[in-house]
């Protein structure tokens, strides 16, 4: 299958630069996979599509201020570091830009007594670094780091909380699970009051979710691993929902990747955690997910491939073209799509 099979034409002016205010005032495109019917709604109208026979599965990861800028002690060069995966108490996998200015053995200073030494080179700008700091690494990072907004968002975000879901709990992501950005506490209360259950799982968003596909052939793309976790409480609720025949609706592609990675051969879940490199693209057969709430994704990305596996490639591209025609807002701060 060719990567170009997942291309669609997107005008630059439709790439959202700011989040909707309030969050639940964004637009919602609803697509019925059985009938092909499309409805154009406002996100807070999602309650009309949810019942007591549904569960919403949400990724409660929290974005860290993962973009930091260091000055090389020997070279004086300024280099951007994007932290994307912790591999020990002091060690991280990072992306450096420009990578040629950060070589194995180099040391960089970030301020607040935070520094790092590059201990290994990787591919495509990836490095392994070891940090040195006084006191708490997290406290130092909070002072020197910036929210890691995607490159297509050109303006700095004044309020970093706008790039967090209202249910974010466990720090560790270098990008937000953006489908969840549309919820407000009040809307979640209304959803729960209507009988829909919410279940929280965890996946720390890293390169596996958003790194571009470099190969012309989909099958040749390799996903980076990401940490996931399902607690005893979440596993119990998921198993009960499956037993009762409830509809499992994933909020975002990261929640999909957790469930499809964690589900057992007999269709049950156990409390567990691990690393996943799952790459979902057509004709993948889903084992755990019945419906999907997601934002609109980049052309030729692994995310639009996942949606295409769930909805069908032609159907997905048709939905995206409809969204372009109706002037929906795209990507992280954009509007949402509910695939039923």
């Amino acid at each position: 299958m060719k990567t170009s099979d997942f291309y669609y034409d997107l005008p630059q002016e439709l790439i959202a630069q700011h989040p909707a205010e309030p969050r639940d005032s964004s637009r919602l495109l609803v697509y019925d996979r059985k009938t092909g019917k499309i409805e154009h709604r406002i996100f807070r109208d999602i309650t009309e599509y949810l019942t007591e026979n549904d569960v919403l599965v949400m990724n409660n990861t929290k974005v860290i201020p993962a973009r930091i800028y260091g000055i090389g002690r020997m070279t004086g060069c300024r280099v951007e570091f994007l932290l994307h995966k912790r591999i020990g108490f002091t060690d991280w996998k990072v992306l450096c830009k420009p990578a040629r200015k950060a070589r194995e053995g180099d040391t960089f200073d970030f301020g607040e007594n935070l520094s790092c030494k590059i201990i290994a080179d990787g591919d495509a700008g990836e490095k392994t670094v070891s940090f040195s700091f006084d006191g708490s690494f997290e406290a130092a990072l909070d002072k020197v780091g910036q929210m890691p907004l995607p490159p297509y968002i050109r303006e700095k975000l004044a309020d970093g909380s706008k790039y967090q879901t209202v249910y974010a709990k466990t720090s560790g992501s270098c990008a937000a699970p953006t489908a969840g950005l549309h919820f407000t506490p009040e809307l979640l209360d209304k959803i729960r009051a209507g009988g829909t259950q919410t279940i929280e799982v965890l996946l720390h968003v890293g390169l596996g979710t958003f790194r571009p596909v470099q190969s012309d052939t989909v099958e040749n793309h390799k996903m980076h691993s990401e940490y996931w976790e399902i607690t005893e409480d979440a596993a119990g609720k998921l198993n009960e929902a499956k037993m009762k025949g409830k509809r499992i609706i994933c909020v975002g592609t990261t929640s999909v990747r957790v469930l499809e990675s964690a589900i057992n051969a007999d269709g049950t879940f156990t409390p567990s955690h691990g690393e996943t490199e799952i790459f979902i693209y057509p004709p993948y057969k889903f084992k755990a997910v019945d419906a999907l709430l997601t934002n609109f994704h980049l052309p030729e990305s692994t995310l639009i491939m996942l949606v295409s596996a769930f909805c069908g490639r032609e159907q997905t591209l048709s939905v995206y073209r409809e969204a372009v025609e109706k002037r929906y807002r795209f990507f992280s701060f954009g509007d949402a799509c509910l695939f039923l």
Side-chain angles (χ1 to χ4, degrees):
M1 185 174 293
K2 294 185 179 298
T3 302
S4 59
D5 290 339
F6 299 89
Y7 177 81
Y8 67 95
D9 190 25
L10 177 68
Q12 288 292 307
E13 64 268 20
L14 294 186
I15 301 175
Q17 297 297 309
H18 306 281
E21 291 291 347
R23 291 171 182 247
D24 60 0
S25 66
S26 59
R27 296 171 70 187
L28 176 68
L29 187 154
V30 182
Y31 180 76
D32 189 315
R33 292 183 294 154
K34 292 182 179 178
T35 66
K37 180 182 178 182
I38 291 177
E39 295 182 79
H40 302 285
R41 307 296 298 268
I42 301 300
F43 189 81
R44 64 177 68 94
D45 297 336
I46 194 172
T47 54
E48 298 181 25
Y49 299 90
L50 302 176
T51 72
E52 60 185 13
N53 196 46
D54 295 326
V55 295
L56 284 179
V57 180
M58 307 181 297
N59 179 12
N60 66 12
T61 190
K62 189 173 184 179
V63 185
I64 61 174
R67 181 169 281 119
I68 56 178
Y69 295 87
I71 304 297
R73 285 185 185 175
M74 298 297 293
T75 64
C77 293
R78 186 174 187 263
V79 173
E80 176 188 288
F81 290 72
L82 177 65
L83 285 64
H84 75 83
K85 187 178 180 120
R86 192 167 198 164
I87 55 175
F89 180 67
T90 59
D91 296 356
W92 283 77
K93 296 284 188 181
V94 304
L95 290 180
C96 289
K97 188 169 66 174
R100 68 181 185 280
K101 299 292 186 181
R103 300 184 177 181
E104 187 173 342
D106 289 349
T107 298
F108 288 82
D109 294 307
F110 304 95
E112 299 297 328
N113 292 317
L114 180 67
S115 64
C116 80
K117 183 176 182 178
I118 298 177
I119 57 177
D121 286 317
D123 297 327
E126 187 180 61
K127 314 281 183 179
T128 303
V129 303
S130 181
F131 282 99
S132 297
F133 46 89
D134 292 335
S136 166
F137 173 77
E138 287 74 16
L141 189 63
D142 281 342
K143 292 178 180 178
V144 304
Q146 300 178 12
M147 292 300 284
L149 296 179
Y152 49 75
I153 296 177
R154 296 181 294 274
E155 298 181 25
K156 187 176 179 180
L157 192 63
D159 182 359
S161 69
K162 301 296 184 183
Y163 195 57
Q164 301 277 20
T165 64
V166 296
Y167 47 81
K169 291 179 181 176
T170 307
S171 295
S173 280
C174 67
T178 54
L181 295 179
H182 306 279
F183 290 98
T184 65
E186 295 78 15
L187 180 57
L188 285 170
D189 286 344
K190 185 177 180 180
I191 288 170
R192 294 176 183 123
T196 300
Q197 188 178 28
T198 58
I199 300 174
E200 294 183 4
V201 296
L202 174 69
L203 183 137
H204 286 322
V205 185
L207 292 184
T209 294
F210 67 86
R211 193 157 203 176
V213 177
Q214 302 290 345
S215 170
D216 292 336
T217 304
V218 171
E219 292 83 355
N220 289 337
H221 177 71
K222 178 174 172 56
M223 298 286 283
H224 281 67
S225 66
E226 295 169 310
Y227 177 81
W228 63 268
E229 183 178 301
I230 291 180
T231 64
E232 183 174 357
D233 179 67
K237 289 177 178 177
L238 285 165
N239 288 332
E240 182 181 10
K242 296 282 279 186
M243 182 182 65
K244 292 182 177 180
K246 291 190 174 185
R247 184 171 59 171
I248 294 179
I249 305 173
C250 276
V251 178
T253 58
T254 60
S255 297
V256 172
R257 297 185 73 227
V258 173
L259 297 197
E260 294 297 320
S261 298
I263 192 167
N264 299 317
D266 62 358
T268 63
F269 295 90
T270 52
S272 51
H273 61 87
E275 299 280 335
T276 182
E277 297 178 349
I278 191 171
F279 182 17
I280 297 175
Y281 57 89
Y284 180 87
K285 301 299 182 184
F286 287 81
K287 308 172 188 66
V289 183
D290 301 309
L292 171 62
L293 173 69
T294 185
N295 284 18
F296 296 98
H297 304 294
L298 281 164
E300 301 181 340
S301 65
T302 61
L303 302 178
I304 195 173
M305 293 171 188
L306 183 152
V307 175
S308 296
F310 187 74
C311 188
R313 187 182 69 87
E314 288 296 336
Q315 294 88 336
T316 298
L317 292 175
S318 178
V319 167
Y320 273 59
R321 294 185 187 110
E322 171 85 0
V324 169
E325 181 182 341
K326 298 296 185 182
R327 310 297 290 179
Y328 276 73
R329 304 186 325 141
F330 280 66
F331 307 158
S332 294
F333 288 143
D335 298 316
C337 187
L338 178 61
F339 292 95
L340 297 174

